[in-house]
Amino acid sequence: MTILGRVLAYRRPLQATVARVGVFAAAPASISFLLATLVVSVLWHDPPGGHRLVDACCAWRATNLPRGPLVPLLGSALLVRRPVEAIWTTTAAGLVLGPLEAVVGSRRLIALGVLGHALPTILVDLCWLVTGKAGQGLDGLDVGSSAVVVAAAAALAVTTRSLPVAAVLVAGLTVDIAAAPDLATTEHLIAVAIGVSLAMAFSRERRRATAPSDSIPVDATPVEPTRCPVVAIPNEGGQQPGPRGRGRESCR
């Protein structure tokens, strides 16, 4: 096996599923997330009508938290404003989201993505609002898919026990912290904690589902032991045996 093959060994479940059922059926949530991100991001740069639509559903700001609504909070994961972010999201869909979905399933991936994006965003926004740090990075738009990808990468490293995935994640976080630590860095660290916690919960759930059950099946009925009737043998003279007579058990 080549070095690249060992690095990408965590993608084997996805490759096997794609060979069996096709690309979209193998990772429907990941592909849908990527397509929605590209569509929303293109509409953002369409001044006449698309920009207003995206601004209403996906443009989240920390100042929106006290007054709501929270729909843009979830939609903000779909809005990337720079081409490099779109390329990064596309790459992450194939290297992180798809392989994780092939292992844990679509519903668990969606739950992890929602929590991995919404919870860090809310916690950091609350911190920013409480401390009153105006002008510290959250007075504008707070959008992007990075928290979803970071949470999924952490869960993928735990679920597949892939050292390359864990090494890349740690290296990225180290550069993020050392080069330009800000509130977005805090969001990423919280997303890592969420991804690891959910991955461990998913693993325990799968072990319980596959473990053999020690309980007795409901439809199982106990079988009573067969009792052999006692057949009396007459004594000499044709008389039936009394209390001291002899008997013989006969089973058919």
Side-chain angles (χ1 to χ4, degrees):
M1 182 184 295
T2 63
I3 296 177
L4 182 61
R6 294 178 181 177
V7 171
L8 299 178
Y10 71 92
R11 299 184 73 249
R12 289 175 184 170
L14 175 63
Q15 294 170 345
T17 307
V18 169
R20 188 172 64 253
V21 299
V23 176
F24 187 80
S30 303
I31 295 176
S32 299
F33 175 79
L34 175 60
L35 295 177
T37 299
L38 297 178
V39 170
V40 167
S41 302
V42 169
L43 291 176
W44 175 257
H45 296 283
D46 179 27
H51 183 85
R52 289 194 299 270
L53 177 62
V54 174
D55 186 73
C57 70
C58 303
W60 174 257
R61 297 170 178 84
T63 53
N64 294 344
L65 189 59
R67 59 177 183 265
L70 297 180
V71 173
L73 172 63
L74 300 178
S76 63
L78 304 175
L79 176 56
V80 294
R81 294 176 292 170
R82 296 181 298 173
V84 65
E85 294 177 350
I87 296 174
W88 183 78
T89 302
T90 303
T91 304
L95 295 180
V96 177
L97 300 181
L100 180 61
E101 184 175 3
V103 176
V104 303
S106 300
R107 289 183 295 178
R108 293 188 180 95
L109 177 66
I110 294 173
L112 185 144
V114 171
L115 289 177
H117 173 75
L119 191 56
T121 303
I122 290 175
L123 292 177
V124 171
D125 288 354
L126 282 174
C127 228
W128 181 78
L129 291 171
V130 169
T131 55
K133 294 182 178 180
Q136 296 298 316
L138 289 180
D139 49 344
L141 289 176
D142 184 10
V143 298
S145 60
S146 59
V148 174
V149 174
V150 170
L156 181 64
V158 173
T159 304
T160 62
R161 299 180 180 179
S162 173
L163 291 179
V165 174
V168 171
L169 179 62
V170 171
L173 291 174
T174 302
V175 172
D176 195 8
I177 295 172
D182 55 9
L183 293 175
T185 304
T186 305
E187 288 186 1
H188 296 161
L189 294 176
I190 298 174
V192 168
I194 293 173
V196 171
S197 300
L198 289 181
M200 295 174 66
F202 294 158
S203 298
R204 287 194 298 268
E205 184 179 352
R206 287 199 305 272
R207 284 197 297 268
R208 286 197 300 267
T210 57
S213 177
D214 295 332
S215 59
I216 300 176
V218 177
D219 57 348
T221 54
V223 179
E224 295 183 357
T226 305
R227 296 181 178 179
C228 300
V230 177
V231 179
I233 302 176
N235 293 330
E236 296 179 359
Q239 295 180 355
Q240 294 295 328
R244 297 183 180 179
R246 294 175 299 171
R248 181 180 63 189
E249 292 184 353
S250 174
C251 294
R252 294 182 180 181

